[in-house]
C-alpha cells in the first residue's frame, strides 16, 4: 500500500503544485546526464592535400590527408594564425572563399584535390602552412609569433584587429613564375604561370601551373615567415651567407617534411633498395643491357624525397626539381666561389642531408645484416614489406630528429649577421643540450659533413666537439632577478612588460661583461620567449631565449664617423643571444634565473668593412635616397631573390 501511495499522483501534482515540479526537475537532471553532456572538441582537422604537387598524379601517396590543429574557421579560410585572401591580382577579381566548417566539406575531410578549383587551392595553402607552423612549434617547444605589422607615420593606415597575429596567404596573387614571403604585405604571395611549350616535363605544354599547389613551395615560404618571426634581423643581408642561409633553412624544412609522407617513403624505399639518397628510382620493368627503353615503366623516375618543387622546375623547362637535397657534391672550394644565394644555400642543405643519410645508414645497418643473413641480396631490388616498414620508421624518426635540431639551432644562433659557421656551432650546441648522450655520433656526422664542404666556424680554436660548441658561461655573469617565464603558450602582456624592463636594466648594468658599450646607444631587448623541453633523463628544462641588440649608424664610406643624414648611413648592429635557465626550487626556494650561454656578434672593424663591401657589391648603396627606400634597401627582397630562380 505504501508503494501505491508513492506512485499515486498527489493533489499538488494534479493542480500543478510543488510536488509535480520537483519530479519534473528530477527527470530533467537525469536527462542532462545523457542529453546535455559536453561533446569533446576535436583536436585535429583532416584536410586533403597534395604530398608533393599535381604533376606526381595519384601515385606515391601524393593525395594524402593532412591533420592540422582544429580551430573554428571563417570562410577563406581565416583562423587564428592564417587568413587566406584569394584575390587574383592579374584578373582583378576575388574568388569565392571555401568554408571548411561546412558539414558537406568537413565530412569528407575537405575538398578533393583539384587543379581547377580555387577553393581547393585555398584549402591547400592553409593546410600546408598550418602543418609547417605546427612542426616548428613542436620542435621549438613554444608558440611561434609572426613579425609585427608596422603602422605608417601619422596613423594613416589602420591595421585591422588581429592582423598582426595572422599571416595572410594569397593563393593567386600574380601571374608570374614566383612565390615569395613579403614582410610589408605581412603575408605570402603565390603566383601562377604557363608551363614551357618545349620542355614542360609531366605537364601539358603551356598549361597553367599554380605554385600554391606545391607542398614544397608552401612549406618553403611559410618557413621564411617563421624564421623572420623568430629572428627579424636575419632579413638584413649583412654578409654573403645571410640570404643563402634563409634559402637553405627554408629548403631544409620543406625537404624534411617529405619523410613524414609514409606511402611515398615506402615506395621510395622499395625502388631504391633502401638507399634513400639515390637520385633515381628503379624502374618497374627491367631494361636488359643494350636494350632500348620501350615502355614508360622502364624509365627512371627522380627520387621525390630529395627533389624540391618538382613541378615548378619541370614546367620551367629545367627537367628536374628546383633544387636537390644532395645537389652539391662535397667540394671545399665551392664555399669560396659560389655567391648566388640558392647555389650557396645548396652547400648548407647538402651538408645537413649528408649527416642525415650517414645516421640513417648507421641505424639501419643491423636491419640489412639481418636481411642478408636470411638470404637477402647485397643490393636488394625488391625489399620485403616488413623490412621496408622498419626502414620507413627509422627514416621518419631521424628526419624529425634532424628537423628539431635545425629548428632549435635558431635559438642557439647569434641574433644577427649569421654565417654558416655560426649555424654549425648552433646545431652542435642545441643537439648537445637535447641529447647529451650521442651513441650514433650525430654531432660528429654534422662536423664531418660541414668540414668536407669547407664550412668553418669563426672563433673556434680546434676541430673538436668541445671547441665547436658555444662555451657555457659558468656563473661568470650575475643572475637575472625578476624574470618571468610564463608557460609554453606564451607570456601575458604584464609579463612581457615586466621582462622588457628587467632585461634592459640587466643589459645596461652588465653591458661591459656582455660585450656592449653602453655609452654609444641604448641596448634593446629585441625579443625574449620561454623555451621548454624534456631531457633524456625525463627532467623538464625551462629556459628563456633573449636577443639583446644595440644599433648605431655608420657612414656608407670607409670613415667610422657617424652620419647625421640617414640616407648616407647604414645601421650597424651588435648583439648577443642569452640562454637563461630557470632551475627547479632548492629547499622550497626558487633560485634566480642564471645565464647559461652568451652567443655574441659584436661590432668590429672587420665586420664593418665586410658589411660595407657586401652592400656595395650588391648595389644596395646605390638605390634611392628617400626614406622608404633607405629602410628597405638593407632588407632581403624575397620577391627579387626568388625571381632569380
Amino acid at each position: 500500500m505504501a508503494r501505491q501511495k508513492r506512485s499515486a499522483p498527489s493533489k499538488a501534482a494534479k493542480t500543478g503544485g510543488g510536488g509535480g515540479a520537483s519530479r519534473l526537475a528530477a527527470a530533467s537532471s537525469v536527462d542532462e546526464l545523457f542529453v546535455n553532456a559536453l561533446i569533446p572538441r576535436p583536436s585535429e582537422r583532416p584536410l586533403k592535400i597534395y604530398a608533393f604537387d599535381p604533376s606526381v598524379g595519384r601515385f606515391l601517396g601524393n593525395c594524402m590527408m593532412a591533420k592540422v590543429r582544429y580551430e573554428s574557421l571563417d570562410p577563406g579560410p581565416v583562423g587564428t594564425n592564417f587568413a587566406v585572401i584569394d584575390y587574383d591580382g592579374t584578373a582583378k577579381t576575388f574568388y569565392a572563399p571555401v568554408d571548411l566548417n561546412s558539414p558537406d566539406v568537413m565530412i569528407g575531410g575537405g575538398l578533393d584535390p583539384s587543379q581547377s578549383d580555387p577553393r581547393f587551392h585555398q584549402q591547400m595553402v592553409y593546410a600546408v602552412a598550418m602543418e609547417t607552423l605546427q612542426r616548428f612549434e613542436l620542435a621549438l617547444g613554444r608558440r611561434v609569433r609572426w613579425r609585427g605589422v608596422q603602422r605608417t607615420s601619422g596613423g594613416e593606415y589602420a591595421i585591422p584587429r588581429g592582423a598582426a597575429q595572422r599571416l595572410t596567404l594569397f593563393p593567386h596573387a600574380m601571374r608570374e613564375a614566383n612565390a615569395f614571403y613579403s614582410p610589408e604585405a605581412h603575408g605570402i604571395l603565390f603566383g601562377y604561370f604557363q608551363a614551357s611549350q618545349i620542355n614542360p616535363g609531366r605537364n601539358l605544354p603551356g598549361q597553367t601551373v599554380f605554385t600554391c599547389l606545391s607542398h614544397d613551395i608552401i612549406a618553403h615560404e611559410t618557413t621564411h615567415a617563421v624564421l623572420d618571426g623568430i629572428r627579424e634581423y636575419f632579413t638584413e643581408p649583412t654578409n654573403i651567407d645571410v640570404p643563402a642561409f634563409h634559402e637553405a633553412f627554408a629548403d631544409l624544412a620543406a625537404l624534411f617534411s617529405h619523410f613524414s609522407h609514409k606511402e611515398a617513403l615506402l615506395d621510395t624505399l622499395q625502388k631504391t633498395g633502401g638507399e634513400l639518397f639515390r637520385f633515381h628510382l628503379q624502374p618497374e620493368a627491367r631494361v636488359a643491357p643494350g636494350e632500348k627503353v620501350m615502355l614508360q615503366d622502364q624509365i627512371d623516375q627522380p627520387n621525390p624525397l630529395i627533389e624540391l618543387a618538382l613541378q615548378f622546375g619541370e614546367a620551367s623547362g629545367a627537367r628536374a626539381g628546383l633544387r636537390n637535397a644532395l645537389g652539391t657534391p662535397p667540394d671545399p672550394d665551392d664555399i669560396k666561389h659560389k655567391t648566388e644565394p640558392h647555389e650557396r644555400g645548396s652547400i648548407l642543405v647538402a651538408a645537413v642531408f649528408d649527416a642525415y643519410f650517414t645516421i640513417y645508414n648507421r641505424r639501419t645497418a643491423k636491419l640489412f645484416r639481418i636481411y642478408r643473413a636470411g638470404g637477402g641480396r647485397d643490393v636488394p631490388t625488391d625489399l620485403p614489406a616488413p623490412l621496408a616498414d622498419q626502414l620507413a620508421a627509422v627514416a621518419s624518426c631521424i628526419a624529425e630528429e634532424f628537423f628539431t635540431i635545425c629548428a632549435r639551432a635558431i635559438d642557439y644562433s647569434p641574433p644577427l649577421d649569421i654565417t654558416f659557421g655560426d649555424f654549425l656551432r648552433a646545431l652542435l650546441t642545441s643537439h648537445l643540450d637535447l641529447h647529451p648522450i650521442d651513441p650514433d655520433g650525430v654531432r660528429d656526422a654534422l662536423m664531418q659533413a660541414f668540414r668536407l664542404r669547407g664550412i668553418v666556424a669563426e672563433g673556434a680554436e680546434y676541430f673538436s666537439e668541445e671547441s665547436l660548441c658555444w662555451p657555457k658561461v659558468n656563473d661568470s655573469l650575475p643572475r637575472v632577478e625578476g624574470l618571468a617565464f610564463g608557460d609554453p603558450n606564451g607570456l601575458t602582456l604584464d609579463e612581457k612588460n615586466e621582462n622588457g624592463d628587467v632585461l634592459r636594466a640587466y643589459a645596461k648594468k652588465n653591458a661591459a661583461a656582455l660585450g656592449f658599450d653602453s655609452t654609444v646607444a641604448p641596448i634593446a631587448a629585441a625579443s625574449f620567449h620561454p623555451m621548454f623541453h624534456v631531457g633524456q633523463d625525463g627532467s623538464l628544462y625551462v629556459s628563456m631565449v633573449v636577443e639583446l641588440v644595440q644599433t648605431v649608424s655608420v657612414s656608407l664610406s670607409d670613415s667610422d664617423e657617424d652620419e647625421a643624414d640617414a640616407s648616407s648611413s647604414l645601421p650597424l648592429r651588435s648583439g648577443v643571444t642569452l640562454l637563461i635557465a630557470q632551475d627547479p626550487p632548492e629547499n622550497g626556494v626558487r633560485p634566480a634565473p642564471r645565464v647559461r650561454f652568451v652567443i655574441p656578434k659584436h661590432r668590429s672593424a672587420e665586420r664593418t668593412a665586410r658589411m660595407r663591401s657586401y652592400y656595395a657589391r650588391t648595389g644596395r648603396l646605390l638605390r634611392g635616397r628617400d626614406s622608404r627606400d633607405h629602410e628597405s634597401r638593407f632588407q632581403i627582397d624575397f620577391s627579387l631573390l626568388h625571381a632569380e630562380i
Side-chain angles (χ1 to χ4, degrees), residues 554-557 563-570 625 630 633-634:
V554 298
S555 170
L556 296 177
S557 66
E563 291 283 343
D565 183 4
S567 65
S568 301
S569 64
L570 59 85
R625 297 290 189 176
H630 176 73
R633 63 177 166 166
F634 301 122

Side-chain angles (χ1 to χ4, degrees), residues 3-321:
R3 293 180 61 186
Q4 290 178 354
K5 284 184 178 180
R6 283 196 299 269
S7 61
S10 66
K11 183 177 180 181
K14 292 179 181 179
T15 59
S22 63
R23 283 198 299 274
L24 289 173
S28 177
S29 65
V30 172
D31 291 341
E32 288 177 357
L33 289 175
F34 300 96
V35 178
N36 295 331
L38 291 176
I39 298 175
R41 178 187 177 92
S43 60
E44 295 178 326
R45 180 192 293 269
L47 291 171
K48 297 173 184 175
I49 60 171
Y50 288 118
F52 299 102
D53 56 52
S55 70
V56 183
R58 295 185 178 273
F59 296 100
L60 296 171
N62 189 36
C63 295
M64 63 174 287
M65 189 75 75
K67 294 182 178 179
V68 301
R69 186 164 57 234
Y70 179 83
E71 59 178 343
S72 182
L73 297 170
D74 293 330
V78 177
T80 304
N81 301 105
F82 296 98
V84 179
I85 299 179
D86 204 354
Y87 178 72
D88 190 325
T90 301
K92 307 296 183 184
T93 186
F94 283 95
Y95 297 112
V98 64
D99 183 4
L100 295 183
N101 278 358
S102 167
D104 294 338
V105 175
M106 291 186 73
I107 200 169
L111 300 175
D112 290 332
S114 169
Q115 295 189 66
S116 59
D117 189 348
R119 295 171 301 172
F120 173 72
H121 300 191
Q122 300 158 13
Q123 173 180 301
M124 175 85 179
V125 293
Y126 168 79
V128 178
M130 193 69 182
E131 181 185 58
T132 304
L133 176 64
Q134 289 175 199
R135 294 184 73 229
F136 272 101
E137 291 184 338
L138 179 62
L140 292 169
R142 65 175 186 275
R143 297 291 189 196
V144 171
R145 306 300 182 203
W146 308 120
R147 184 176 182 175
V149 178
Q150 295 182 351
R151 298 179 182 270
T152 58
S153 59
E156 299 174 359
Y157 177 60
I159 300 174
R161 181 179 297 276
Q165 286 74 44
R166 298 189 187 101
L167 191 73
T168 309
L169 308 176
F170 301 93
H172 309 98
M174 64 275 180
R175 190 182 185 88
E176 61 179 270
N178 201 351
F180 59 90
Y181 161 63
S182 170
E184 293 78 14
H186 197 62
I188 302 173
L189 289 75
F190 297 92
Y192 58 94
F193 64 101
Q194 306 304 121
S196 170
Q197 293 284 353
I198 302 173
N199 295 312
R202 286 173 288 187
N203 304 283
L204 289 176
Q207 81 165 61
T208 302
V209 175
F210 298 96
T211 62
C212 66
L213 293 183
S214 169
H215 192 290
D216 292 341
I217 291 176
I218 301 169
H220 178 102
E221 300 306 330
T222 304
T223 301
H224 279 310
V226 170
L227 184 55
D228 192 30
I230 300 172
R231 286 283 194 268
E232 68 172 294
Y233 296 117
F234 279 12
T235 58
E236 293 184 348
T238 48
N239 70 70
I240 196 172
D241 281 353
V242 174
F245 175 77
H246 237 289
E247 287 301 302
F249 190 78
D251 281 354
L252 287 169
L255 286 165
F256 276 128
S257 70
H258 289 180
F259 294 85
S260 63
H261 305 159
K262 184 177 180 181
E263 291 185 25
L265 186 56
L266 286 170
D267 187 84
T268 304
L269 283 164
Q270 294 279 2
K271 293 179 179 178
T272 59
E275 297 179 335
L276 290 174
F277 48 86
R278 295 297 178 192
F279 283 83
H280 291 91
L281 307 179
Q282 295 173 358
E284 299 282 351
R286 187 174 61 87
V287 181
E291 181 183 351
K292 291 184 178 181
V293 173
M294 302 297 293
L295 304 173
Q296 58 178 302
D297 282 351
Q298 295 177 312
I299 302 174
D300 289 344
Q301 299 295 329
N303 183 345
L305 295 184
I306 62 174
E307 290 279 353
L308 187 76
L310 189 59
Q311 184 187 32
F312 188 104
E314 288 185 339
S316 302
R319 299 178 182 269

